[in-house]
Amino acid sequence: MSGGYLLSMDYCEAMVRERSNRFLSMNMFVLERRIPVEKYRLGEMEQKFAELIWEREPIGSGELAKLAEAEFGWKRTTTYTMLKRLCVRELFANKGGTVTALVTREEFQAARGELFLEENFDGSLPMFLAAFSKRKKLSGEEVKELRKLIEEYEDDRTEDA
């Protein structure tokens, strides 16, 4: 081994653990919940296109192409390329010329929220709220809404027990 360093396995494993802890944490989150990360990462235009579909689905693919031309100035081929991307991610399906959602807007937003929390706050909603409320004071109405959500969550857990 000319000019190299011989590193112990313990040291190498510690370095890998240290540097990839967040990555491994994210992968465990994805495996546990079966949420494919890339499925929920959309570019700006993919997001706008998905919103257009959610607002009008089920919708014929020809009608969708006309809408995309009016909304975004896209050619038909661009619309179908973008639609194919979203279908490959299993957000939408295009069967028999009809486009339908496989994932609702609400499911999509919930999964993105979970991924955001996992990636940025180790999955901790309290950590997120603490960080958020340090920069922006919550209004009385927002605090009231949060309390209501917590109470509803506790009621649901009581019913399930």
Side-chain angles (χ1 to χ4, degrees), residues 86-104:
L86 298 178
C87 289
V88 165
R89 291 180 178 183
E90 298 178 349
L91 295 175
F92 300 99
N94 183 11
K95 296 207 180 189
T98 301
V99 179
T100 56
L102 298 175
V103 175
T104 67

Side-chain angles (χ1 to χ4, degrees), residues 43-142:
E44 180 183 352
M45 292 311 296
E46 289 173 323
Q47 181 69 42
K48 288 180 179 182
F49 187 56
E51 293 291 338
L52 186 73
I53 297 170
W54 278 316
E55 289 170 6
R56 293 170 174 84
E57 64 104 9
I59 184 171
S61 56
E63 184 182 345
L64 183 59
K66 290 176 187 170
L67 277 171
E69 181 181 10
E71 288 283 324
F72 312 123
W74 290 354
K75 294 182 179 178
R76 191 169 51 98
T77 53
T78 304
T79 300
Y80 287 119
T81 299
M82 187 68 76
L83 178 59
K84 184 175 180 176
R85 280 190 208 165
L86 298 178
C87 289
V88 165
R89 291 180 178 183
E90 298 178 349
L91 295 175
F92 300 99
N94 183 11
K95 296 207 180 189
T98 301
V99 179
T100 56
L102 298 175
V103 175
T104 67
R105 178 187 284 136
E106 293 76 19
E107 291 168 335
F108 179 81
Q109 290 171 339
R112 282 187 61 183
E114 287 179 42
L115 289 170
F116 176 80
L117 282 177
E118 187 61 34
E119 289 175 330
N120 298 287
F121 297 94
D122 295 323
S124 171
L125 184 58
M127 281 177 56
F128 166 74
L129 288 173
F132 181 82
S133 62
K134 281 183 183 174
R135 300 213 28 143
K136 180 188 181 284
K137 293 291 180 198
L138 297 173
S139 70
E141 188 61 33
E142 289 170 322

Side-chain angles (χ1 to χ4, degrees), residues 21-61:
N21 190 29
R22 187 167 286 268
F23 175 77
L24 291 172
S25 170
M26 186 63 208
N27 281 336
M28 290 308 295
F29 170 75
V30 171
L31 289 173
E32 287 171 13
R33 294 192 174 92
R34 303 195 187 289
I35 297 175
V37 176
E38 291 308 312
K39 180 176 183 172
Y40 296 99
R41 292 195 194 199
L42 301 182
E44 180 183 352
M45 292 311 296
E46 289 173 323
Q47 181 69 42
K48 288 180 179 182
F49 187 56
E51 293 291 338
L52 186 73
I53 297 170
W54 278 316
E55 289 170 6
R56 293 170 174 84
E57 64 104 9
I59 184 171
S61 56

